[in-house]
C-alpha cells in the first residue's frame, strides 16, 4: 500500500506546486491522476520516487518511509518502482537493447555496468520484455529510428526490467495519437491485471480515465480536489477540476 | 545450409579482395565510404612511414641486415585487420572498427611525436625561463607608481591605448581663425589597439559591401535561372574557396608588396579573406531560402529584380546581419595578428616588443587584446541572438520612417563619425591600390608560375606534413586537457552549491580569456620556454585548442537532453551509471565531431604560426618571401590551398556522417 501524507513541494524559485496532498493507493489499483496543465501532476509523481525532493510530508510504501530513506536505500526502493515518461526519455543514439537493459542498472554492480556488461540472464530478460511489448525484432536498431508509439513501448520494457511492484506513468500517451494511446494504455492495463502491478498514471483525457482507471484523484493548483471512482466525476465535479469554462471532449 | 555456405564463400571472396586491394572487400560489400577510407588510409600510412624513415629515421631498426622501420609491423597488422574486417562484415558479424583506428593512430602519433621535435624535458629544464615570462604576464607594463605613491599610466599604456599630446593644429581650426597659424593644440593620438579596432571594423564594412553582390553569383538557385549561370556559379565558388583557404596573414604578405607596410595593408588583407568567407556564407544562405514567397511574387508577374527585392531580401537580411556580426568578431581577432606581417595595429606592436625582449610590454598588449576581444565576442553574440530570435514589437501604429526617428538619426551620425575616424586612423589611401609598387607585377607573375622542381616540392611537402602533424598533436593535447574542464563549465552538471557556481564561472572565464588571443601571439611565450621551433608552435596551438574546444564541449554538454538521465536515475541507478548510460552516448558524437572540426581549424592556424617562430610551413613561406623568392612562395601557397581544401572537405564529410 502507498500512503501519501501531507505532501507539499515548493520549488527553489518560490512556486508552490503541491499543497498538503494526502491519499492512499491499495496494491493492484490503477489510479488515474488528473488535473489541468500546471496543476502539479508531474511534481506529485516525481516526489513519490524522489526524483524531486518534497518540501514537507511523507510518502510511505509498504511500511517503508521513502521520504526518510538514505541514498543507499533509495536505490533499492527506486528499482522496485518503474517510471514511464511523456517524452519517453530514451537515449536516442543508443540501441533499443541498451535502453531496455539500462532498466536493470539498479540491480547490478556499478563498476561492471560501466563497460556495458550485462549477464546473459539479463539479456534474455530484456529480449523477453521486448517480446512482451511486441518489439523483439527491433532490439538492435537505434532508439531514434523508432516511431513515437514504439519508443514508448521501449520505455515500458525498460520499466519492466526492474520487475517493478509499482509503475509511475507521467502522461505516457500525451505525445501520441489516439489509436496509439489506447495501445499503450492496454499494455499498462494488462500489467496491472495480470501481474498485479500497481499503476499511478497521470492522464489528460477523461474518457481514458473512465476506460482504464479503477480509481482517480484530481489536482487543481497543487491541491487535491477529488478522489473516488471515475464514474463519480459528474458535471459539477468536472467543473470544479477543470474550471467553469471547460467542455468535455473525448478522443476515439 | 545453402545460404550459410554461400555466405562463407562470399566472406572469403571479400577477404581476398581486401588482401589484393585494401578496402576493396568493403567496397564490394556495398560499404563504399568504408572501402574508400580504408584504401586512402592504407596508402597514406605507407607513404608516411616511408617518408618518416627517409627524412627522420623514425622507428628505424636493423633486422637481418636490412634497415627498416618497426612501424611497418603495425602497418601489416593494419592491413590484416582490413582483411579480417571484410570477412566479418560479409558474415554479418559486428566489426572491430576500434582496432583499425588504433593501429592507424599508433602510426600517426609516433610520426607526429618525432617530426614536431617534442622535447618534454625542456618543459622542465627551462621552467625558470617560463616562470620569468609568467611573472611578466601577471605584471603587465600598464601603470607605474611615482615617488609620491600615485599611479600613472605608463609610456607603454599610451602606445597601446593612445595618449593626448600637443600636435600642430588641424587646418580647419586655423582657417576659421580659432587658433594661430603655428600654434599646437592637444589632440588624441590613437594607440595601437585603437588602430586594430578600426582595422577590424573597416574590414568588416568593406567586405560586407563587396560580398553582397558576389554572393548572388555564387548562389546556385539564382544562377541556374540565367543562361550560362551555372558556369559562373562554379567559377565563383572555386575562387571563394581558394581565397578562403589562404589565411589572412598570408594575404598580408602579398598585399605589402602591392601597397607597402602599414595598417592600410592590414585592412586590405583582412578584407580579402573576409569577402571570400562572407561570400560563401551569404551564398549558402541564399540557396537555403524558402522558395514559397519567390513563387508567389513571380506568380504576380514580377521580374527577377523585383523577386530579389520583395521575396529574397526580406528573407536574407537577418541571417546576413548575423553572419556579418560573426565575421566582425573573427576580423577583430585576425586584426590583432595581421600586423605581424603587414605592419600596423597591435600585431606589429607585439612583434616589436618580442624583438626587443620587452615581455612586460608584450604582456600588457595581450591583456589589452583579451579585454577588447572578450567585449567584441560578447556584443557580437548578443546581437546575433537578438537578430535570429527576432524582436516582436507589438505596435498598432505604422512604423515611422527611419529619418523621422531621432534615435536612428543620432546612431547614423555617430556611425558616420566613427567611420571617418577609422578611415583616418588606419590611413586608408585608395589611390595606392591603383599605383602598385613596380615589383608587384613581377611578384604576381612569379607567384602564379609556381616552382615545381622536385627539390623544392620535397621541402615544401615535408614542412606541410610537419604542419599537419603539429595540428594533430595540438588538437589531441588540447582536447584531452579540455575534457575534464568542460564538465566543470557545464551549468546543468555542476551543482547549485556556492563553490561549484564559482568553479563554473572561473572555468568559463579562463576559457574566454585564453580563447580571445590568437595562437600566433602565444608562440613567443613558448618559444622563450622551449626554444623556437615546431614544439613551441604545437604548444601555442594546444593552448587555443584547449580554450576553444573546452567551450564547445561545455556547450554540447549543456545542450543534452536531461530526460534520459532522469529515467535512468528513476530505475535506481547510481549517478555514475546514469552518466555512463544517459550522458556519454549523447556527448561522444558531438565531441568527436568538434575535435575533427578543430583539427581542420588548427591546420589553417598551423600554416601561420611559423611567422612567430612556431615552425612548419609558415616559417618556410616567410623565408621565401623575405628572400623575394616568390616562385617558391607560390608553391607553398598552392600546397596550403590544396591541403586546407582537402581537410575542409574531409572534415565536413566525416562530421556529416557522425550525426
Ligand atoms: N523545476 C521547477 N522549478 C520551478 N517551478 C516548477 C518546476 N517544475 C514545475 N514547476 C511549476 O510547478 C507547477 C506544477 O508543475 P507540474 O509540472 O507538476 O504540473 P503538471 O500538472 O505536470 O503539468 P503538465 O500537464 O503541463 O505536465 C507549475 O506551476 C510549474 O510551473
Ligand atoms: Mg507534467
Amino acid at each position: 500500500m502507498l500512503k501519501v501524507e501531507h505532501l507539499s513541494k515548493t520549488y527553489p524559485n518560490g512556486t508552490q506546486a503541491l499543497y498538503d496532498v494526502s491519499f492512499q493507493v491499495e496494491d493492484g489499483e490503477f489510479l488515474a491522476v488528473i488535473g489541468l496543465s500546471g496543476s502539479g501532476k508531474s511534481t506529485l509523481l516525481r516526489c513519490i520516487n524522489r526524483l524531486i525532493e518534497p518540501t514537507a510530508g511523507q510518502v510511505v510504501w509498504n511500511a517503508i518511509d521513502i521520504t526518510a530513506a538514505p541514498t543507499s536505500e533509495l536505490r533499492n526502493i527506486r528499482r522496485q518502482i518503474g517510471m514511464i515518461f511523456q517524452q519517453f526519455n530514451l537515449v536516442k543514439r543508443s540501441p533499443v537493447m541498451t535502453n531496455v537493459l539500462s532498466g536493470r542498472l539498479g540491480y547490478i554492480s556499478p563498476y561492471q555496468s560501466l563497460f556495458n556488461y550485462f549477464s546473459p540472464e539479463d539479456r534474455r530478460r530484456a529480449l523477453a520484455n521486448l517480446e512482451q511489448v511486441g518489439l523483439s525484432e527491433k532490439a538492435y536498431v537505434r532508439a531514434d529510428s523508432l516511431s513515437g508509439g514504439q519508443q514508448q513501448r521501449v520505455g515500458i520494457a525498460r520499466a519492466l526490467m526492474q520487475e517493478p511492484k509499482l509503475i509511475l506513468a507521467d502522461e505516457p500517451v500525451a505525445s501520441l495519437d489516439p489509436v496509439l494511446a489506447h495501445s499503450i494504455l492496454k499494455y499498462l492495463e494488462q500489467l496491472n491485471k495480470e501481474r498485479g502491478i500497481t499503476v499511478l498514471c497521470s492522464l489528460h483525457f477523461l474518457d481514458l480515465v473512465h476506460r482504464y482507471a479503477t480509481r482517480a484523484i484530481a489536482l487543481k493548483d497543487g491541491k487535491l480536489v477529488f478522489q473516488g471512482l471515475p464514474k463519480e466525476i459528474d458535471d459539477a465535479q468536472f467543473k470544479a477540476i477543470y474550471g467553469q469554462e471547460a467542455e468535455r471532449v473525448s478522443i476515439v | 545450409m545453402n545460404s550459410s555456405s554461400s555466405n562463407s564463400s562470399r566472406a572469403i571472396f571479400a577477404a581476398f579482395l581486401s588482401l589484393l586491394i585494401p578496402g576493396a572487400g568493403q567496397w564490394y560489400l556495398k560499404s563504399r565510404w568504408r572501402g574508400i577510407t580504408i584504401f586512402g588510409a592504407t596508402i597514406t600510412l605507407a607513404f608516411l612511414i616511408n617518408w618518416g624513415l627517409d627524412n627522420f629515421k623514425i622507428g628505424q631498426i636493423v633486422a637481418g641486415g636490412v634497415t627498416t622501420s618497426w612501424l611497418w609491423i603495425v602497418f601489416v597488422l593494419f592491413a590484416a585487420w582490413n582483411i579480417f574486417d571484410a570477412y566479418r562484415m560479409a558474415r554479418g558479424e559486428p566489426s572491430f572498427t576500434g582496432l583499425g583506428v588504433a593501429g592507424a593512430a599508433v602510426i600517426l602519433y609516433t610520426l607526429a611525436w618525432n617530426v614536431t621535435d617534442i622535447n618534454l624535458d625542456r618543459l622542465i629544464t627551462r621552467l625558470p625561463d617560463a616562470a620569468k615570462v609568467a611573472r611578466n604576464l601577471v605584471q603587465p607594463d600598464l601603470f607605474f607608481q611615482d615617488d609620491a605613491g600615485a599611479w600613472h599610466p605608463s609610456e607603454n599604456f599610451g602606445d597601446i591605448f593612445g595618449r593626448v599630446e600637443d600636435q600642430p593644429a588641424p587646418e580647419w581650426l586655423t582657417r576659421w581663425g580659432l587658433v594661430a597659424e603655428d600654434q599646437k593644440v592637444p589632440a588624441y593620438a590613437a594607440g595601437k589597439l585603437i588602430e586594430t579596432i578600426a582595422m577590424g571594423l573597416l574590414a568588416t564594412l568593406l567586405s560586407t559591401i563587396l560580398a553582397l553582390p558576389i554572393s548572388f553569383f555564387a548562389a546556385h538557385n539564382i544562377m541556374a535561372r540565367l543562361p550560362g549561370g551555372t558556369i559562373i556559379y562554379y567559377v565563383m565558388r572555386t575562387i571563394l574557396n581558394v581565397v578562403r583557404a589562404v589565411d589572412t596573414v598570408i594575404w598580408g604578405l602579398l598585399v605589402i608588396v602591392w601597397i607597402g607596410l602599414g595598417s592600410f595593408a592590414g585592412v586590405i588583407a583582412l578584407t580579402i579573406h573576409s569577402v571570400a568567407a562572407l561570400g560563401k556564407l551569404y551564398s549558402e544562405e541564399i540557396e537555403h531560402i524558402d522558395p514559397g514567397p519567390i513563387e508567389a511574387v513571380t506568380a504576380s508577374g514580377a521580374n527577377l529584380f523585383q523577386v530579389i527585392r520583395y521575396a529574397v531580401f526580406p528573407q536574407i537580411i537577418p541571417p546576413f546581419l548575423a553572419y556579418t556580426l560573426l565575421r566582425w568578431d573573427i576580423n577583430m581577432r585576425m586584426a590583432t595578428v595581421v600586423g605581424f606581417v603587414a605592419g600596423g595595429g597591435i600585431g606589429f606592436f607585439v612583434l616589436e616588443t618580442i624583438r626587443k625582449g620587452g615581455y612586460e610590454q608584450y604582456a600588457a598588449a595581450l591583456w589589452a587584446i583579451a579585454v577588447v576581444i572578450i567585449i567584441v565576442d560578447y556584443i557580437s553574440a548578443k546581437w546575433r541572438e537578438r537578430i535570429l530570435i527576432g524582436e516582436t514589437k507589438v505596435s498598432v501604429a505604422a512604423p515611422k520612417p527611419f529619418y523621422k526617428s531621432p534615435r536612428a538619426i543620432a546612431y547614423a551620425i555617430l556611425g558616420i563619425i566613427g567611420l571617418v575616424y577609422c578611415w583616418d586612423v588606419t590611413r586608408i589611401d585608395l589611390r595606392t591600390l591603383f599605383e602598385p609598387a613596380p615589383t608587384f607585377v613581377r611578384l604576381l607573375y612569379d607567384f602564379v608560375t609556381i616552382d615545381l622542381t622536385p627539390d623544392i616540392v620535397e621541402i615544401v611537402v615535408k614542412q606541410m606534413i610537419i604542419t599537419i602533424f603539429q595540428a594533430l598533436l595540438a588538437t589531441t593535447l588540447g582536447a584531452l586537457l579540455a575534457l575534464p574542464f568542460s564538465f566543470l563549465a557545464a551549468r546543468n552538471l555542476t551543482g547549485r552549491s556556492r563553490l561549484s557556481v564559482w568553479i563554473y564561472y572561473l572555468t568559463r572565464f579562463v576559457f574566454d580569456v585564453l580563447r580571445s588571443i590568437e595562437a600566433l601571439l602565444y608562440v613567443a611565450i613558448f618559444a622563450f620556454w622551449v626554444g623556437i621551433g615546431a614544439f613551441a608552435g604545437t604548444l601555442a596551438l594546444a593552448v587555443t585548442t584547449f580554450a576553444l574546444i573546452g567551450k564547445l564541449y561545455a556547450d554540447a554538454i549543456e545542450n543534452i537532453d536531461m530526460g534520459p538521465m532522469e529515467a535512468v536515475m528513476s530505475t535506481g541507478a547510481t549517478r555514475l551509471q546514469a552518466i555512463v548510460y544517459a550522458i556519454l552516448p549523447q556527448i561522444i558524437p558531438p565531441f568527436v565531431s568538434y575535435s575533427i572540426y578543430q583539427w581542420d581549424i588548427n591546420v589553417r592556424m598551423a600554416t601561420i604560426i611559423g611567422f612567430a617562430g612556431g615552425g612548419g610551413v609558415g616559417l618556410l613561406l616567410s623565408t621565401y618571401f623575405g628572400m623575394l623568392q616568390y616562385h617558391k612562395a607560390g608553391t607553398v601557397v598552392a600546397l596550403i590551398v590544396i591541403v586546407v581544401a582537402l581537410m575542409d572537405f574531409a572534415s565536413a564529410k566525416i562530421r556529416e556522417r557522425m550525426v
Side-chain angles (χ1 to χ4, degrees), chain B residues 488-502:
Chain B
L488 298 180
R491 255 258 160 76
N492 51 346
L493 292 191
T494 56
R496 279 198 187 72
S497 77
R498 181 159 299 186
L499 177 71
S500 56
V501 170
W502 270 105

Side-chain angles (χ1 to χ4, degrees), chain B residues 46-239:
Chain B
F47 168 78
L48 286 176
I49 295 175
N50 190 36
W51 174 86
L53 190 62
D54 278 357
N55 285 280
F56 296 90
K57 301 194 170 48
I58 295 171
Q60 184 167 319
I61 47 169
V62 182
V66 189
T67 315
T68 180
S69 166
W70 62 263
L71 286 175
W72 285 116
I73 301 171
V74 186
F75 179 80
V76 170
L77 289 176
F78 178 79
W81 165 81
N82 138 66
I83 298 166
F84 183 58
D85 182 67
Y87 181 76
R88 279 185 72 91
M89 269 182 72
R91 295 171 57 101
E93 290 160 346
S95 44
F96 301 110
T97 311
L99 281 182
V101 175
V106 167
I107 296 174
L108 288 180
Y109 282 103
T110 308
L111 290 167
W113 193 267
N114 284 289
V115 301
T116 49
D117 54 71
I118 303 281
N119 265 307
L120 290 184
D121 55 315
R122 274 201 225 156
L123 280 177
I124 296 155
T125 53
R126 303 188 44 155
L127 201 59
D129 299 83
K132 214 168 97 198
V133 186
R135 217 168 309 126
N136 290 331
L137 284 180
V138 295
Q139 291 173 345
D141 174 10
L142 287 172
F143 301 97
F144 70 94
Q145 212 172 5
D146 63 16
D147 300 333
W151 288 93
H152 299 285
S154 68
E155 194 62 18
N156 191 52
F157 183 94
D159 287 344
I160 295 175
F161 294 97
R163 58 171 70 83
V164 177
E165 58 188 18
D166 284 342
Q167 284 175 351
E171 193 216 347
W172 60 272
L173 272 181
T174 37
R175 191 175 334 138
W176 287 38
L178 292 172
V179 293
E181 188 73 33
D182 43 5
Q183 191 181 342
K184 292 203 167 185
V185 291
Y188 172 71
K192 290 296 176 194
L193 192 66
I194 308 301
E195 202 176 304
T196 309
I197 296 174
M199 285 162 69
L201 273 173
L202 271 186
T204 312
L205 185 72
L206 290 177
S207 58
T208 304
I209 295 171
L210 293 172
L212 247 153
I214 289 178
S215 65
F216 281 87
F217 289 103
H220 197 240
N221 54 346
I222 301 275
M223 292 320 278
R225 290 159 167 254
L226 300 176
T230 315
I231 298 169
I232 303 180
Y233 159 79
Y234 280 114
V235 173
M236 259 339 211
R237 271 294 167 100
T238 312
I239 294 177

